Amino acid sequence: MTVVPVMLGEWEELSPSGDSPTRGLSFRREPAARALAADLAESGKLEIRELLNGLAIQSKSFVGTIRLGPLQVTIRPKMTGFPLVALLRYAYGLRNLFLYGQVEMETTDRPFQDLLLSQLSAEAAELLSRGLHRAYRPRHELMASPRGRVNFQRLARTGGVRQSALPCYHHLRLADCLSNQVLVAGLRFGAGLTADLELRARLRRLAAVCGENVTPIRLDYHVFARLEREANRLTRAYEPAFRLTKILYRDAGAGLGREAGGLPVPGFLFDMNRFFQAVLSRFLHENLDGFRVQDEYRLQGMFAYVPGFNPQRRQAPAPRPDFVVFRGGRVAAILDAKYRDLWENALPRDMLYQLALYALSQGGGMRAAILYPTLDPRACEAVIEVREPVHGMGRAQVILRPVVIDELAEMVSLSDPATARRRKEYARHLAFGEK
């Protein structure tokens, strides 16, 4: 089957008109691809519609590559190069290891997952150069030279010493432990996600070296839960590699059906909205001195079923802003991260309605802000007033506050005292609009 490559940016639409590569394409003979397209649209990851003259594609906040029947869709992130790498490292606590040369980092035709895989290979190489973690494992075996503790119960059951070896219980310090098993499994899993032959060979080579005398395992969410339970200071150096492995596993196959053990999907889609929220979460938590930041705080009591009119006995919905900033016991700011450049694009109605509810939940005169990314240094905040429709009195305000990506990436990559003060000032600006 001939594969038709399609390249898109975030929040971009491609129609099947003119010389579009999707003109004349359909999923008529591909029922599995049609079902996958419906699942992607329902989950909000990617919208593909079948029209009379071909396929129309609408990208969202997800980037990566996915294959659907005759179509291979690659969605590129808007931010590239240094800002993307710096913010990825900052959001997920990755080390400042060598990735690409500057020219390779600037290219926009590389799939996004290759950036994560290159960082994973660098993390694995760093761990290998330090020496892999080893853990003590119990062993029961017959030994001619006794080691550890002699198992006298087993010895008594055999009728005493009648052979040249004694049953011993001892511990060996081995590399065959969960940390290395997950590292090797992540490298092997990642090798199947890239079409870059050099990167794939590097991942497989690292997996072969790290996996010597390590029992192979299969990644799943139970393994990641066990890994989190067993984490300690001895495995702290592995944490960046584990985060990358979990991201790659979660978003491979477009993230569809993985938790339920569903069939893998040929592709990888990374949620830039979740990534942007992770960047802001760490930045606000670290730099808002004197305030408490709570992620995804539930606004209790805003909605309630009328007594006697809840036949299904359902719990009342509770809105959950991305960040609520507290000063003492009082709400100082309500913030929501939206990965859409609202300086270049109009504000969608659903975002406006959502933020208006957040603002109104705290009484008259309250404000709620959308934090959105932009590459334009001229971007400044806009304010929308929510008014009482009869008399036109202001009830609340929705603020569109830009986060200049280049400026934020520069601040999180430097550690001098002047930049530290600048980060704290910028955090107050993001939370409260202060200059």
Side-chain angles (χ1 to χ4, degrees), residues 4-194:
V4 179
V6 174
M7 303 280 285
L8 292 172
E10 308 156 351
W11 302 103
E12 189 176 332
E13 187 171 3
L14 177 67
S15 65
S17 59
D19 57 352
S20 170
T22 62
R23 185 175 182 180
L25 294 181
S26 74
F27 297 138
R28 223 176 11 255
R29 300 180 181 178
E30 300 281 346
R34 179 176 286 169
L36 174 57
D39 289 342
L40 288 169
E42 186 178 354
S43 63
K45 293 178 170 64
L46 179 67
E47 187 175 333
I48 301 179
R49 303 188 308 276
E50 289 186 84
L51 304 179
L52 290 175
N53 58 340
L55 298 175
I57 305 175
Q58 170 70 62
S59 62
K60 306 291 184 181
S61 64
F62 290 77
V63 299
T65 306
I66 190 164
R67 170 83 179 272
L68 296 94
L71 200 62
Q72 179 167 300
V73 182
T74 300
I75 305 169
R76 304 183 303 265
K78 189 173 182 179
M79 66 174 88
T80 58
F82 165 74
L84 177 59
V85 175
L87 293 178
L88 270 172
R89 288 170 175 158
Y90 180 74
Y92 300 115
L94 308 178
R95 286 174 288 195
N96 191 13
L97 303 174
F98 173 77
L99 288 180
Y100 299 134
Q102 187 65 29
V103 175
E104 289 181 284
M105 284 169 52
E106 295 291 341
T107 59
T108 58
D109 56 348
R110 297 184 68 99
F112 178 81
Q113 62 266 31
D114 283 7
L115 176 61
L116 300 179
L117 291 169
S118 184
Q119 178 77 47
L120 178 61
S121 72
E123 294 285 351
E126 175 75 7
L127 291 170
L128 195 59
S129 67
R130 293 181 174 198
L132 295 178
H133 171 65
R134 295 174 181 269
Y136 286 100
R137 290 290 177 263
R139 288 292 179 92
H140 296 268
E141 55 186 342
L142 292 172
M143 304 188 71
S145 298
R147 180 188 300 173
R149 202 167 62 235
V150 176
N151 191 336
F152 287 103
Q153 291 182 347
R154 183 177 175 185
L155 184 63
R157 284 197 299 270
T158 60
V161 180
R162 296 182 180 178
Q163 51 191 355
S164 59
L166 292 174
C168 297
Y169 175 76
H170 65 106
H171 289 76
L172 286 178
R173 194 163 175 262
L174 304 171
D176 190 14
C177 56
L178 183 63
S179 298
N180 293 323
Q181 290 168 355
V182 172
L183 177 65
V184 173
L187 290 168
R188 289 173 178 161
F189 182 80
L193 295 178
T194 179

Side-chain angles (χ1 to χ4, degrees), residues 421-432:
R421 289 193 299 271
R422 189 174 158 209
R423 284 197 298 266
K424 295 185 184 303
E425 293 170 359
Y426 197 63
R428 291 185 68 95
H429 165 70
L430 294 181
F432 311 114

Side-chain angles (χ1 to χ4, degrees), residues 334-337 355 367-371 397-401 430-431:
I334 297 178
L335 310 171
D336 217 47
L355 269 291
R367 313 170 96 195
I370 296 176
L371 304 180
Q397 291 181 345
V398 174
I399 303 168
L400 314 183
R401 188 168 293 144
L430 294 181

Side-chain angles (χ1 to χ4, degrees), residues 371-410:
L371 304 180
Y372 67 89
T374 184
L375 299 176
D376 193 336
R378 301 169 301 169
C380 55
E381 72 176 38
V383 181
I384 299 174
E385 190 171 53
V386 182
R387 296 178 176 177
E388 191 270 322
V390 177
H391 301 97
M393 296 181 62
R395 299 288 301 277
Q397 291 181 345
V398 174
I399 303 168
L400 314 183
R401 188 168 293 144
V403 180
V404 182
I405 291 300
D406 290 345
E407 187 176 356
L408 183 63
E410 180 188 356

